[in-house]
Amino acid sequence: MERGRSREEGQARDATGRRRRQQPYGGDRGAGAAGTSVFAHLVAALPCAGGRPVGSVLVVDPSPPGWGLAFGDDDPLLMCNSAADVNSLLPDRPHDFVDHLRARGWTGAPDTCVPRAAMAGYCAARWEGARDAAKQKGVTVRHIPRRLVSIRLGDGSPRLRLDDGAELVADDVVLATGVHRPRVPRGFAALTGHPRYVDSPYPSARLRAALGAGRRRVLVLGSRQSAVDAALLLCRDGHRTTLTSPSGSLPAVRLSLHAPPRDFPPLRRMARLDPDDPLLERRLTRCVVEAVRLLGDRPLRAQTSRAADPVRRLAEETALAEAGVCLWPGVAVAVIEALTAFADGLPAGRTRSLMRRFDWFVGRYLTALTVVNARRLLEHCATGALRVAPSYPESVAFTGGVWRVSGPGADPPGTYDHVVNATGFEPPEVTWRADGRELLLRPGDPGDTVVDHLEADLRVRRAPGAPPEHVWLAGVGTHVRIPFANHLRTVTRQARWVAEQVAARG
C-alpha cells in the first residue's frame, strides 16, 4: 500500500490548506488477502489522532482486488486448505468470513472448508466495503492494474515505478506482494521454457489451455498441496497423471485446519526454550506430543499410518480421519502460532534451518490434506487415472515428441506428453540495488543485496539498526523474520499492526 500521487498530480490539500498524505499501497499482489486486510484496517484507523490527513489510497495489482493467486481461482475443485473459522481478514472479528458466507446462504459448519473462490469473493467484498468507507471519510481510492517494479528512496518521498514505465510518488508504501515465482524443480533448470512444460498449476484455466483437448500423459513434479491440486484438475479432465517427488510422500489427512479448541500449556512452554539448544528439535516435538495428549487418550502413533506405500498410507489415514479418531489436527493452528512466536526475530538463516529440521512435520501434518481431497485422490488411484511414482527422476529429456524420464535402477524410462511443475513458489524477495537507493521487487543482480532482516515494526531498513524507510512488508514477504508467513491469522495480525502504524504516522 502506498500513499502517493502520480507524477502528473499536484499536492492535494485539506480544507485548512495543509498537505494531505496521498497513499497508494502496492506490490505484485497488493490486492490479495494480505493487501485487502491492510487496506480494511487502514481505512478503519482513519482519521487517527496525531496523524496527518490521508488524501488517497492507491492499490497497485494486476489482478482485481481480492482475486490474488492464493484464492483467486474459480475452479470449484480448488478448496481452501483451512476451515472457514480461521479465514477472517479481521482478527478482531474471527467469525467475519463465516458471517459473510451465512449472509449469502451458506449452511456449512464453521470448521469445514469452502472453495477458494468463496474466499476471493469475501476479500473483494471487504475491499469494496473499505473503499466505500474511505470515500465517506473523504479519502480517494483507486486500483491501478499494473505491477510494481521498484521503489526509489533517499531523495524525498518514495518514487514507485510500474511495469509500464509510469511513476507514482508516495508518502508511505506497504508491500503485500504474495508469491509469483514458481520454484525450479531439480533436474529441470534447462527445460523450464519448453512448450510442454507448465511452470505452475495456477491459474487452472491456463493449465487446461496448455494441455488442450484429448487425454494426455502428464508427469506432475511434487506431492504436496500444489501437486494435489494439479492431480485433481488433470484427472477430472481425463488425463493420466503421475505424481513424483524426492520424498515420495503425500501429506497426511485431516478433516480441516480449524481454530484451536482450547488452550495448550505445553505449547506455551516453547517460548522458554533456547534456540541454541542442541536438543531443540526433540524438546519442540515433546511440546507438540504433550499438546495432542490433551485432546484425548488415543496416542499419536495410533492416529496416523506407518504404511510405506504412499497410496496405502493415504487410504489408512483417510479412514482414520473419517472415523473421527484423528485428534492431532486440533493442535495444528496452535502449533503454527507457537512456532511462529518462538522463531519471531531469529536471524533469517536460523529460521530457515529450524524449518528445514521440521520439514517432515510441516510437509505432512501442518499442510495436510482435507479428507474430501484425499477421498478424491483415492478414487483416481483406484481407476488408474493417478499413480504415485516410487522415485524422483534422475534424468529427463524431450525427444521424439515426448518427455522421457528415467528413475534409479534399470527400469525403462517413462514417457509423458507434458510435465507440470507443482513444487510451489519461491518466497518473495525485496532487493536493495548496490547503490542503496532503490528497492527491487525481484531477485537482484550481482552486487545487490536481498532484504533479509526485519525488525518488529516490519519496516524496511538498509541495514540492521539503520533508520526505517517509509516502506512496510506484510504477509508472505515477512518470511525473512518469521516462519509460516502465509498463515492467514498471522497475516491479518500483521496487517492490523502495519495499518495502525501507517495511519498514526505524523
Side-chain angles (χ1 to χ4, degrees), residues 270 272-287 339 342 346 350 354 357-358:
M270 286 184 180
R272 301 193 296 271
L273 296 178
D274 179 2
D276 297 321
D277 186 344
L279 300 178
L280 177 63
E281 182 175 352
R282 181 183 302 177
R283 299 190 196 284
L284 289 171
T285 301
R286 173 56 54 188
C287 292
L339 284 173
F342 172 78
L346 290 178
R350 294 289 307 282
L354 178 66
R357 291 166 67 182
F358 275 86

Side-chain angles (χ1 to χ4, degrees), residues 228-248:
V228 169
D229 286 345
L232 294 176
L233 294 166
L234 293 167
C235 291
R236 180 198 59 190
D237 294 343
H239 305 296
R240 298 185 69 85
T241 305
T242 299
L243 296 180
T244 182
S245 70
S247 72

Side-chain angles (χ1 to χ4, degrees), residues 344-374:
D344 187 8
L346 290 178
R350 294 289 307 282
T351 299
R352 288 192 294 267
S353 175
L354 178 66
M355 295 300 289
R356 281 195 299 269
R357 291 166 67 182
F358 275 86
D359 186 67
W360 62 273
F361 183 69
V362 174
R364 285 220 77 235
Y365 296 100
L366 296 188
T367 58
L369 294 174
T370 64
V371 71
V372 173
N373 280 348

Side-chain angles (χ1 to χ4, degrees), residues 112-178:
T112 58
C113 300
V114 299
R116 289 182 204 165
M119 184 66 186
Y122 163 63
C123 291
R126 291 297 173 263
W127 193 91
E128 292 167 2
R131 178 199 59 196
D132 294 344
K135 183 177 180 180
Q136 293 177 1
K137 295 181 178 185
V139 178
T140 301
V141 177
R142 185 157 59 101
H143 171 231
I144 300 175
R146 305 303 310 184
R147 196 179 303 274
L148 180 62
V149 174
S150 65
I151 306 170
R152 191 73 176 173
L153 298 165
D155 49 1
S157 298
R159 304 184 67 88
L160 298 94
R161 183 165 57 88
L162 308 185
D163 59 354
D164 63 352
E167 288 187 356
L168 301 170
V169 179
D171 292 297
D172 300 292
V173 182
V174 179
L175 298 177
T177 62

Side-chain angles (χ1 to χ4, degrees), residues 152-154 432-439 462 469:
R152 191 73 176 173
L153 298 165
W432 280 110
R433 286 276 199 196
D435 63 5
R437 296 170 60 86
E438 187 174 20
L439 282 172
R462 285 179 170 81
E469 304 293 339

Side-chain angles (χ1 to χ4, degrees), residues 68-144:
L69 180 67
F71 299 113
D73 198 306
D74 61 2
D75 194 298
L77 269 184
L78 299 180
M79 305 287 289
C80 293
N81 195 43
S82 52
D85 67 358
V86 294
N87 279 1
S88 172
L89 293 178
L90 308 174
D92 295 331
R93 293 162 53 186
H95 302 296
D96 191 55
F97 182 42
V98 172
D99 292 343
H100 167 87
L101 295 173
R102 292 268 189 257
R104 287 153 180 77
W106 184 68
T107 59
D111 63 350
T112 58
C113 300
V114 299
R116 289 182 204 165
M119 184 66 186
Y122 163 63
C123 291
R126 291 297 173 263
W127 193 91
E128 292 167 2
R131 178 199 59 196
D132 294 344
K135 183 177 180 180
Q136 293 177 1
K137 295 181 178 185
V139 178
T140 301
V141 177
R142 185 157 59 101
H143 171 231
I144 300 175

